[in-house]
Amino acid sequence: YKVADKLSENFPGLSLLMVRNKAINMKVINPALPFTMYQLNDNKWRETSTLKTQGACQAKLMQLLDSGYQLLICDFDDHLDSPYLNWRNVEINSAVDDLSSAAVATGGSDGL
């Protein structure tokens, strides 16, 4: 939460999206997906809702996991340890955009 605390000083109303690693399994994905949304309230991060999506989003997530993108995720702490690491995860974002574009082109729009 330390990085989110610092960011919230400059971005009021900031939300934190946390990935629950234990909810990700290479064979099965929890139907609620492994994400939890938090917002700062009374100087504490409190869960506001669990994000829920449908099948197409889960399928896209499985494609990313099967491709090993989870091994490339870099957060800001990683960037502080090794500045050459890009905490914005441009390669992963590009892959997500490609999957989303392919879904829209084929008529799916379950959003990732």
Side-chain angles (χ1 to χ4, degrees):
Y1 298 106
K2 289 181 182 181
V3 172
D5 286 337
K6 194 66 174 168
L7 288 170
S8 70
E9 291 175 8
N10 295 311
F11 301 98
L14 178 81
S15 294
L16 169 65
L17 183 67
M18 190 173 292
V19 178
R20 295 184 315 273
N21 290 333
K22 290 182 181 181
I24 297 177
N25 178 315
M26 294 307 287
K27 305 273 186 234
V28 178
I29 297 178
N30 181 327
L33 286 182
F35 306 112
T36 305
M37 180 75 71
Y38 295 87
Q39 288 192 315
L40 194 60
N41 188 359
D42 296 328
N43 292 322
K44 291 188 179 189
W45 289 98
R46 301 185 194 278
E47 185 175 339
T48 57
S49 66
T50 300
L51 299 178
K52 294 182 181 174
T53 60
Q54 305 202 5
C57 182
Q58 292 177 4
K60 292 174 197 174
L61 180 57
M62 277 310 289
Q63 284 181 276
L64 293 170
L65 292 173
D66 288 343
S67 298
Y69 280 98
Q70 72 277 15
L71 302 174
L72 301 176
I73 293 174
C74 174
D75 66 15
F76 196 73
D77 285 340
D78 295 328
H79 172 73
L80 292 175
D81 290 339
S82 299
Y84 73 91
L85 295 174
N86 190 342
W87 62 274
R88 293 178 295 155
N89 298 294
V90 175
E91 184 177 349
I92 297 169
N93 290 332
S94 178
V96 170
D97 288 344
D98 290 347
L99 286 173
S100 296
S101 297
V104 170
T106 61
S109 60
D110 208 7
L112 183 75

